[in-house]
Amino acid sequence: MTLTKRRTAAGAARLTLRDFVPYRIAVLARGVSISLGRKYQQDLGITIPEWRLIAHLAEVGTCSSGEICARTAMDKAKVNRAVMRLVAAGLVLAGTSSRDRRVNTLKLTARGQKVYEQIVPMALEHERAFLEPLSDTEFKELMRILGKLQSQVNRLWTTEKPAE
């Protein structure tokens, strides 16, 4: 079914979940996260939000929990729970910004960096297995399409009013 043919015989708009792209992307993303999250949990005792936080800190060095929320699309409560668990486990150091005492600063400990280094091969292997059915051309096209869709989501976020 094409986007323009989503109408009943009477001309009313029609939605079938299995054909609704936002739904399919959400289900796919959840399935990928859950399958990978099981491996992190089983092998290292790390949840998906904790892994995302660790990965982000490994990439940027030091940042605030607010920045992590913005860059990982996780809500504040999830990030705060992950921060508390990771600090308690000795994987993340939490401090206060010298520029603004209201802002926290987060940074991986040496132990947190080691956990990151253990997870990276697991994540890359999972990605390889997940993408195995795609040819190199299909992979490049997927990446192009994902970039295009992300740009559109970014545009929509900046033009739409938040739900009240």
Side-chain angles (χ1 to χ4, degrees):
M1 173 172 294
T2 66
L3 288 175
T4 56
K5 294 192 178 191
R6 292 188 178 184
R7 301 236 168 241
T8 63
R14 186 175 140 238
L15 183 129
T16 305
L17 269 181
R18 74 174 179 272
D19 297 327
F20 188 57
V21 174
Y23 171 79
R24 294 200 52 193
I25 291 171
V27 170
L28 177 63
R30 182 165 162 71
V32 171
S33 281
I34 287 171
S35 64
L36 188 52
R38 284 184 187 141
K39 186 82 174 136
Y40 298 154
Q41 184 71 47
Q42 178 185 355
D43 292 2
L44 300 164
I46 299 292
T47 65
I48 293 167
E50 291 164 359
W51 156 242
R52 288 178 185 163
L53 197 142
I54 289 170
H56 187 70
L57 289 175
E59 208 173 297
V60 301
T62 302
C63 71
S64 71
S65 56
E67 290 173 284
I68 290 174
C69 291
R71 293 182 181 164
T72 63
M74 290 192 296
D75 66 53
K76 190 175 182 178
K78 259 188 190 165
V79 170
N80 287 339
R81 281 192 300 274
V83 167
M84 289 189 316
R85 271 191 35 105
L86 294 171
V87 168
L91 302 177
V92 168
L93 289 173
T96 305
S97 169
S98 57
R99 282 184 248 139
D100 184 345
R101 308 286 300 155
R102 297 169 297 173
V103 176
N104 69 347
T105 58
L106 305 171
K107 166 177 153 171
L108 287 180
T109 63
R111 199 162 151 232
Q113 182 65 36
K114 285 181 184 170
V115 168
Y116 172 76
E117 290 166 5
Q118 288 178 285
I119 292 177
V120 167
M122 294 165 57
L124 293 175
E125 174 52 30
H126 190 79
E127 178 190 47
R128 187 206 57 74
F130 170 66
L131 295 172
E132 190 172 44
L134 302 181
S135 69
D136 287 346
T137 302
E138 289 170 325
F139 173 75
K140 287 175 186 165
E141 183 67 1
L142 173 65
M143 297 307 286
R144 186 188 69 74
I145 291 169
L146 289 174
K148 220 173 169 178
L149 291 173
Q150 186 63 59
S151 292
Q152 182 64 5
V153 165
N154 294 346
R155 275 193 292 283
L156 292 172
W157 273 356
T158 58
T159 59
E160 292 178 354
K161 284 186 175 180
E164 294 182 25

